């Protein structure tokens, strides 16, 4: 999927007719990258939008599942809407290397650390 | 100088709390304990017509092998688990909001369903169950013969 980067525009908050849902996330730091995992059930790739603008990572995804035809709702505990959440990225992240996959309603983002942030071993030459 | 107290009382309904208690007790007696406690996990939507029910269960990131669905007459039980990943040595959780572990939830359906004819599909993290109504529980139309 496409990840858009546009350093010139400032992030703006969009209005939405549907309820806006906050996806729960896990953020895990490993040696070479940060991993962000977000629960976005009901969202598929066509309605997912991931962008980075001015160091702000924004995730939005619209729920595509709908009620079955010809049946009346008896109990409604979750519904349609749009998932949205933003994160500020530090200089540690190599923004050009961000990758994303969506599977079974879960978004997996890999945010690689910029080369300078990775620990670099310095060789000591014998004098 | 009198303050007009009657306006205060007009906005307060002394029976409101009593009605609410009646409603809540009614929910418990009907077996809707889940809704009284504000629902359970996983969240479910139930749709009905006279022929059958559709139940949507929100379970993102759970593989079908880890899901157990059982139906008996008018009880539906969903059991499952989402793997808990314990952080490795060189890992650090900056944020941990997603639930993991096992879950089980039982809901009562409005009528008996035919457990042999239940079908299930899993898409976008939502499990959709189709539960046809049990033949024996279908309403019978009674024709009234004229004289």
């Amino acid at each position: 999927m496409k990840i858009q980067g546009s350093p010139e525009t400032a992030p703006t908050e969009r209005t939405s007719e549907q309820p806006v849902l906050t996806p729960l996330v896990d953020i895990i730091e490993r040696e070479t990258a940060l991993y962000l995992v977000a629960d976005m059930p009901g969202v598929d790739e066509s309605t997912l939008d991931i962008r980075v603008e001015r160091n702000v990572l924004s995730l939005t995804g619209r729920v595509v599942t709908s009620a079955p035809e010809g049946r009346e709702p008896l109990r409604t505990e979750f519904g349609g809407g749009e998932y949205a959440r933003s994160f500020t990225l530090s200089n540690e992240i190599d923004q050009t290397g961000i990758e994303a996959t969506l599977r079974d309603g879960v978004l997996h983002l890999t945010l690689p650390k910029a080369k300078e942030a990775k620990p670099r071993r310095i060789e000591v030459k014998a004098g | 100088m009198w303050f007009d107290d009657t306006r205060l009382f007009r906005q307060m309904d002394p029976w409101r709390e009593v009605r609410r208690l009646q409603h809540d007790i009614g929910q418990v007696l009907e077996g809707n304990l889940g809704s009284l406690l504000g629902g359970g996990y996983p969240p479910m939507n139930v749709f009905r017509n006279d022929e059958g029910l559709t139940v949507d269960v929100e379970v993102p990131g759970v593989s079908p092998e880890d899901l157990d669905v059982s139906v008996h007459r008018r009880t539906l039980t969903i059991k499952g688990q989402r793997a808990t990943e314990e952080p490795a040595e060189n890992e650090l959780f900056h944020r941990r909001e997603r639930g993991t572990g096992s879950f089980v939830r039982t809901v009562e359906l409005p009528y008996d369903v035919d457990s042999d004819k239940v079908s299930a599909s899993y898409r976008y993290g939502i499990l959709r169950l189709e539960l046809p109504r049990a033949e024996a529980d279908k309403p019978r139309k009674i024709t009234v013969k004229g004289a």
Side-chain angles (χ1 to χ4, degrees):
Chain A
M1 74 200 70
K2 230 171 84 152
I3 302 186
Q4 322 218 3
S6 159
E8 280 73 50
T9 33
T12 49
E13 206 167 323
R14 299 174 4 233
T15 57
S16 171
E17 285 168 5
Q18 296 189 297
V20 178
L21 313 160
T22 304
L24 298 182
V25 304
D26 289 341
I27 300 179
I28 306 160
E29 177 172 357
R30 296 193 178 116
E31 198 172 329
T32 55
L34 253 71
Y35 295 90
L36 191 149
V37 185
D39 280 347
M40 297 172 123
V43 174
D44 96 323
E45 285 188 13
S46 64
T47 63
L48 185 63
D49 186 278
I50 304 172
R51 59 182 67 203
V52 180
E53 292 175 88
R54 285 184 166 223
N55 292 341
V56 175
L57 168 73
S58 299
L59 316 171
T60 50
R62 191 166 301 121
V63 171
V64 299
T65 50
S66 54
E69 292 256 332
R71 295 206 170 166
E72 276 185 18
L74 193 61
R75 179 195 284 247
T76 306
E77 296 175 354
F78 68 94
E82 192 176 67
Y83 284 97
R85 196 154 178 188
S86 306
F87 300 89
T88 303
L89 302 176
S90 73
N91 290 336
E92 246 185 46
I93 303 296
D94 172 10
Q95 293 178 11
T96 58
I98 298 176
E99 288 180 355
T101 52
L102 179 66
R103 205 182 62 230
D104 295 339
V106 182
L107 173 68
H108 297 260
L109 278 181
T110 304
L111 304 119
K113 292 184 182 174
K115 297 243 178 357
E116 302 77 54
K118 283 197 238 172
R120 224 184 63 206
R121 207 173 149 257
I122 300 177
E123 283 230 356
V124 179
K125 291 192 178 44
Chain B
M1 202 178 352
W2 271 119
F3 284 112
D4 189 16
D5 280 341
T6 58
R7 191 169 68 86
L8 249 176
F9 282 107
R10 226 182 293 134
Q11 288 174 345
M12 250 176 60
D13 177 6
W15 298 111
R16 194 181 59 180
E17 286 309 309
V18 177
R19 275 201 297 273
R20 209 186 13 176
L21 191 61
Q22 283 182 321
H23 171 82
D24 285 345
I25 291 176
Q27 292 280 310
V28 174
L29 294 177
E30 280 177 77
N32 278 343
L33 195 58
S35 61
L36 186 65
L37 298 174
Y41 185 83
M44 293 191 205
N45 291 343
V46 182
F47 304 89
R48 70 160 287 173
N49 60 20
D50 286 340
E51 306 300 309
L53 306 168
T54 302
V55 178
D56 283 345
V57 189
E58 203 179 48
V59 277
V62 180
S63 47
E65 305 91 66
D66 290 331
L67 276 172
D68 188 295
V69 178
S70 61
V71 171
H72 179 64
R73 300 195 56 180
R74 59 180 68 187
T75 301
L76 169 68
T77 300
I78 311 275
K79 257 194 262 204
Q81 60 173 19
R82 190 149 82 157
T84 306
E85 296 159 21
E86 282 312 315
E89 280 263 322
N90 53 349
E91 281 182 2
L92 178 64
F93 269 90
H94 286 285
R95 210 166 278 214
R96 193 165 193 181
E97 299 171 353
R98 296 166 66 240
T100 55
S102 59
F103 53 84
V104 58
R105 188 168 178 201
T106 301
V107 291
E108 191 171 313
L109 305 170
Y111 46 64
D112 290 0
V113 297
D114 189 342
S115 46
D116 289 334
K117 299 206 179 109
V118 176
S119 65
S121 59
Y122 183 64
R123 220 169 155 218
Y124 310 131
I126 296 183
L127 173 71
R128 173 161 279 189
L129 304 168
E130 298 289 352
L131 310 158
R133 190 171 192 165
E135 281 300 325
D137 204 1
K138 282 193 180 153
R140 299 238 178 287
K141 190 154 184 250
I142 298 171
T143 44
V144 179
K145 291 194 172 63

